[in-house]
């Protein structure tokens, strides 16, 4: 098989196609496969005709649409029987398309070594019984009045006792204040007598001080006269220095004027050259604007087509969401179980990775967005406890929308329960836990076991966050920049240890565990 077209045409030879459809001759087919946009345009124009044709022509192309997987980025179609061997990586843009849990188990685990655990554990719809039997209420007024009278008498006694206590305290304070006043009067008289003796001594000291100040003033006048003589002499010397300074300033000013004239001449020359360059730049700019306007018109037409396709997808998604909202939790569980063939949103079990035994848990986003309910949390906890007892390495592949809102606080309790089990596994048992984050990983899974791995690995271009972009924008009324919840941006901030494509995932995991066992051997 030398090319993709040859490989696909070989597989198409086995189809029951009485109309003789050929991928090589269809205008909607190129090197990247079937184009969904062209297919949508074709269906929009002839939707009713295709419906009639599907009833009368069971061998048409619509019969084989289930054999194709559409990429979420480039909207190209990939042939499903060959897509699994390519690990669900788009052939056109190399985007990692969403995988279900069974395909991920086949990717990581050696053939014929997978042993599932707790397959019979499923979630049950929680029914709350808020109806209670109402008993008639009878109010006994006589008992209430007697109790109120007792309270009133007790309050009066307390008030009377309080008044008597306040009166006794006031009398005691008055007597103490009177005694204190008499003592203060005796102390003041004694203090006045002492002040009169101190005043006489102060007068004599003041006379001695005035005489000393007079002598010091005479000495100060003599010192001032000497200082004036010295300043006069200094002034004569400074006049000579000023004349020399003025001559130097005149010389510097002449040099400055000559330099300014020279700079002005150079500036005029530069301005003339600049005007010529500006004219040439303006001509180039006009030519570029003309070319950009033509490109802009072309891009605007492409954007309009893209917006119309996005609006159609949004309308279809809104219709699906409204249909899901009409379902009860039990109906949604039943429909997802029939569609995916899984009892719950996770598969847990024991297997071998290149001959190395390990415990593996894989969340499936196709089952109610991989949300974590009470059954999912219990299965993960049992897997961790089993790995702790058997001293097995542990890998968790996360692809989830978070805690399951249908179960309320029961789903939120699983975060703490799983974290406690991982604490015992990593710190007490000293075992090695690796977390693999696929797209998307959000909510309670990110906030619990998704980020608790000894090594945290993320797939390229995966959406990883706690709250989704739409939730943040609607709650905080702000615009979330593009790419801040992508693997590459978060890796630059230090959120993960590795970004691994699926081609290298199994080999790198095996090497990490070998390195860990080698280190433990020498420790």
């Amino acid at each position: 098989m030398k090319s993709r077209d040859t490989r696909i045409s070989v597989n198409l030879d086995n189809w029951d196609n009485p109309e003789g459809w050929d991928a090589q001759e269809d205008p909607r087919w190129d090197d990247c496969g079937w184009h969904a946009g062209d297919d949508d345009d074709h269906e929009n124009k002839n939707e009713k005709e295709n419906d009639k044709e599907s009833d009368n022509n069971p061998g048409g192309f619509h019969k084989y649409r289930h054999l194709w997987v559409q990429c979420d980025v480039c909207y190209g179609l990939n042939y499903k029987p060959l897509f699994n061997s390519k690990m669900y990586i788009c052939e056109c843009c190399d985007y990692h398309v969403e995988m279900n849990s069974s395909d991920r188990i086949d990717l990581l685990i050696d053939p014929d070594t997978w042993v599932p655990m707790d397959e019979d554990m499923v979630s049950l719809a929680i029914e709350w019984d808020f109806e209670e039997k109402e008993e008639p209420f009878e109010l006994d007024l006589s008992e209430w009045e007697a109790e109120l009278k007792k309270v009133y008498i007790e309050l009066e006694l307390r008030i009377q006792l309080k008044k008597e206590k306040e009166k006794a305290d006031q009398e005691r304070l008055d007597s103490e204040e009177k005694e204190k006043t008499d003592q203060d009067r005796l102390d003041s008289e004694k203090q006045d007598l002492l002040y009169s003796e101190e005043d006489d001594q102060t007068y004599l000291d003041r006379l001695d001080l005035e005489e000393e100040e007079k002598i010091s003033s005479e000495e100060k006048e003599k010192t001032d006269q000497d200082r004036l003589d010295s300043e006069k002499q200094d002034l004569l010397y400074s006049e000579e220095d000023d004349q020399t300074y003025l001559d130097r300033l005149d010389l510097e000013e002449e040099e400055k004027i000559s330099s300014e004239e020279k700079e002005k001449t150079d500036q005029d020359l530069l301005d003339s050259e600049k005007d010529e360059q500006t004219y040439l730049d303006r001509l180039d700019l006009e030519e570029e604007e003309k070319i950009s306007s033509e490109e802009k018109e072309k891009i605007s037409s492409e954007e309009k087509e893209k917006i119309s396709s996005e609006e159609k997808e949004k309308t279809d998604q809104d219709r699906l969401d409204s249909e899901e909202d009409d379902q009860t939790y039990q109906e949604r569980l039943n429909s997802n179980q029939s569609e995916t063939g899984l009892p719950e949103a996770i598969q847990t079990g024991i297997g071998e990775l290149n001959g190395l035994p390990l415990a593996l848990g894989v969340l499936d986003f196709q089952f109610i967005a991989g949300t974590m309910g009470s059954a999912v949390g219990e299965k993960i906890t049992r897997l961790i406890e089993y790995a702790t007892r058997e001293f097995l390495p542990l890998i968790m592949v996360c692809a989830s929308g978070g805690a399951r809102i249908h179960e309320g606080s029961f789903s939120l309790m699983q975060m703490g329960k799983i974290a406690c089990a991982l604490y015992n596994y990593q710190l007490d048992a000293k075992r090695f836990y690796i977390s693999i984050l696929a797209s998307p990983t959000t909510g309670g899974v990110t906030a619990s076991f998704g980020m608790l791995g000894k090594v945290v690995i993320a797939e390229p271009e995966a959406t990883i966050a706690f709250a989704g972009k739409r939730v943040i924008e609607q709650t905080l009324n702000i615009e979330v920049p593009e790419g801040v919840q992508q693997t590459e941006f978060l890796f630059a901030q230090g959120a993960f240890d590795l970004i691994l494509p699926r081609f290298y995932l199994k080999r790198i995991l095996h090497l990490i565990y070998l390195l860990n066992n080698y280190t433990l051997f020498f420790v």
Side-chain angles (χ1 to χ4, degrees):
M1 300 179 187
K2 297 181 180 180
S3 65
R4 186 183 301 111
D5 294 342
T6 304
R7 181 181 65 250
I8 293 176
S9 62
V10 170
N11 286 276
L12 293 176
D13 290 340
N14 298 325
W15 287 6
D16 181 15
N17 190 1
E19 290 187 358
W21 177 83
D22 188 5
Q24 308 291 338
E25 298 178 358
D26 198 302
R28 291 166 288 175
W29 182 271
D30 62 7
D31 292 339
C32 291
W34 184 270
H35 281 273
D38 298 337
D39 189 31
D40 291 339
D41 295 339
H42 182 68
E43 289 179 356
N44 290 335
K45 293 177 181 178
N46 304 301
E47 185 175 356
K48 294 183 179 179
E49 296 179 2
N50 288 342
D51 292 339
K52 294 179 181 178
E53 186 179 355
S54 63
D55 297 334
N56 301 325
N57 185 11
F61 175 70
H62 63 276
K63 181 180 178 181
Y64 309 105
R65 291 180 64 88
H66 64 281
L67 297 175
W68 302 92
V69 178
Q70 187 178 39
C71 177
D72 298 331
V73 175
C74 67
Y75 301 105
L77 294 180
N78 300 269
Y79 187 47
K80 192 170 185 179
L82 300 177
F83 205 37
N84 191 14
S85 63
K86 293 186 175 294
M87 301 182 185
Y88 281 77
I89 299 177
C90 180
E91 297 181 2
C92 301
C93 63
D94 292 333
Y95 177 74
H96 287 58
V97 182
E98 178 187 317
M99 293 180 68
N100 58 37
S101 56
S102 300
D103 292 333
R104 286 191 179 275
I105 292 171
D106 295 338
L107 170 64
L108 296 175
I109 300 300
D110 298 340
D112 301 327
T113 61
W114 175 249
V115 180
M117 295 174 58
D118 301 318
E119 287 186 295
D120 57 344
M121 187 179 296
V122 296
S123 295
L124 298 176
I126 302 172
E127 296 181 359
W128 305 96
D129 187 8
F130 292 104
E131 296 183 1
E132 297 180 358
K133 295 181 179 179
E134 296 182 359
E135 297 181 357
F137 177 73
E138 296 180 358
L139 180 62
D140 190 357
L141 295 177
S142 60
E143 184 178 353
W144 182 77
E145 289 176 355
E147 189 67 25
L148 183 62
K149 189 174 182 180
K150 290 180 182 179
V151 173
Y152 180 73
I153 294 171
E154 185 177 352
L155 286 174
E156 283 187 341
L157 290 173
R158 287 180 178 275
I159 292 171
Q160 187 176 358
L161 290 173
K162 187 177 180 181
K163 287 181 178 179
E164 291 176 357
K165 185 178 179 181
E166 289 177 353
K167 186 177 180 181
D169 292 340
Q170 186 66 32
E171 291 176 354
R172 181 175 55 79
L173 291 172
D174 291 342
S175 62
E176 290 177 356
E177 188 176 354
K178 185 176 181 182
E179 293 176 358
K180 187 177 180 181
T181 303
D182 295 340
Q183 184 65 31
D184 292 341
R185 183 172 53 78
L186 292 174
D187 293 339
S188 63
E189 291 176 356
K190 188 175 181 181
Q191 190 70 24
D192 292 340
L193 183 60
L194 292 172
Y195 285 155
S196 63
E197 295 176 357
E198 291 178 356
D199 291 340
D200 295 338
Q201 183 65 32
T202 303
Y203 178 70
L204 294 173
D205 294 338
R206 189 166 64 252
L207 290 176
D208 294 337
L209 183 62
E210 289 176 356
E211 188 174 356
E212 291 177 358
E213 289 177 352
K214 184 176 180 182
I215 293 169
S216 64
S217 65
E218 292 176 356
E219 293 177 353
K220 186 176 180 182
E221 288 176 0
K222 186 177 179 181
T223 304
D224 293 340
Q225 185 63 33
D226 294 337
R227 181 172 55 78
L228 289 172
D229 294 338
S230 64
E231 289 179 355
K232 187 174 181 182
Q233 188 67 29
D234 294 338
L235 184 61
L236 292 173
Y237 291 141
S238 64
E239 290 177 356
E240 296 177 359
D241 295 337
D242 291 341
Q243 185 63 31
T244 305
Y245 177 72
L246 291 172
D247 295 339
R248 189 167 63 252
L249 287 176
D250 293 338
L251 183 61
E252 291 177 355
E253 187 174 357
E254 291 176 358
E255 293 177 353
K256 185 177 180 182
I257 291 170
S258 63
S259 64
E260 288 178 355
E261 292 177 353
K262 186 178 179 180
E263 290 177 357
K264 186 175 181 181
T265 304
D266 295 339
Q267 185 65 32
D268 294 339
L269 183 61
L270 290 173
D271 291 340
S272 62
E273 294 177 354
K274 189 175 181 180
D275 291 339
E276 294 177 359
Q277 184 65 30
T278 303
Y279 177 71
L280 294 174
D281 293 340
R282 189 165 62 253
L283 291 176
D284 294 338
L285 183 63
E286 290 176 354
E287 187 175 355
E288 289 177 358
E289 288 178 352
K290 184 178 180 181
I291 295 172
S292 64
S293 63
E294 295 176 355
E295 293 178 351
K296 190 174 181 181
E297 291 176 358
K298 184 178 179 181
I299 292 172
S300 62
S301 62
E302 293 177 356
E303 288 179 351
K304 288 179 181 178
E305 295 176 357
K306 185 176 179 182
I307 290 170
S308 61
S309 62
E310 290 178 353
E311 289 178 351
K312 182 185 176 184
E313 292 175 0
K314 186 176 180 182
T315 305
D316 295 339
Q317 186 62 36
D318 293 339
R319 179 176 53 79
L320 292 174
D321 292 340
S322 63
E323 291 177 358
E324 289 182 355
D325 292 338
D326 294 338
Q327 293 180 335
T328 63
Y329 180 41
Q330 187 61 51
E331 291 174 348
R332 186 170 296 182
L333 283 174
N334 296 335
S335 64
N336 280 269
Q337 287 170 358
S338 61
E339 289 174 3
T340 62
L342 301 175
E344 255 301 338
I346 189 171
Q347 291 194 64
T348 58
I350 311 300
E352 293 182 4
L353 189 149
N354 290 341
L356 177 69
L358 55 80
L360 175 66
V362 183
L363 286 163
D364 197 318
F365 192 78
Q366 296 178 3
F367 192 102
I368 315 183
T371 49
M372 179 177 60
S374 54
V376 173
E378 183 63 24
K379 293 179 75 170
I380 296 174
T381 305
R382 290 189 182 186
L383 178 68
I384 298 170
E385 291 173 349
Y386 180 83
T388 305
R389 290 194 304 269
E390 301 297 329
F391 294 97
L392 292 174
L394 175 65
I395 296 178
M396 290 296 302
V397 181
C398 306
S400 171
R404 190 171 295 176
I405 60 174
H406 309 84
E407 298 186 17
S409 58
F410 286 100
S411 62
L412 297 176
M413 289 167 56
Q414 311 309 315
M415 298 169 61
K417 182 170 71 174
I418 296 171
C420 291
L422 281 174
Y423 179 87
N424 296 330
Y425 176 81
Q426 292 181 283
L427 297 183
D428 295 344
K430 307 296 183 184
R431 303 310 297 165
F432 200 72
Y433 165 50
I434 293 180
S435 174
I436 301 174
L437 307 181
S439 182
T441 301
T442 58
V445 172
T446 307
S448 57
F449 61 90
M451 290 294 186
L452 292 179
K454 188 74 173 180
V455 176
V456 180
I457 300 173
E459 289 187 346
E461 300 180 5
T463 300
I464 300 168
F466 178 69
K469 179 180 178 182
R470 184 179 61 180
V471 175
I472 297 174
E473 290 179 343
Q474 293 180 353
T475 304
L476 302 180
N477 197 19
I478 61 175
E479 184 177 355
V480 179
E482 290 292 337
V484 297
Q485 295 181 335
Q486 298 297 319
T487 299
E488 288 72 19
F489 176 82
L490 296 173
F491 179 74
Q493 311 305 316
F496 318 121
D497 299 304
L498 291 172
I499 299 178
L500 279 181
R502 292 172 186 163
F503 285 117
Y504 310 103
L505 187 58
K506 188 173 183 179
R507 284 180 287 175
I508 297 298
L509 288 175
H510 185 244
L511 291 175
I512 291 173
Y513 278 120
L514 288 179
L515 178 62
N516 178 64
N517 294 337
Y518 181 80
T519 306
L520 291 176
F521 177 77
F522 283 97
V523 171

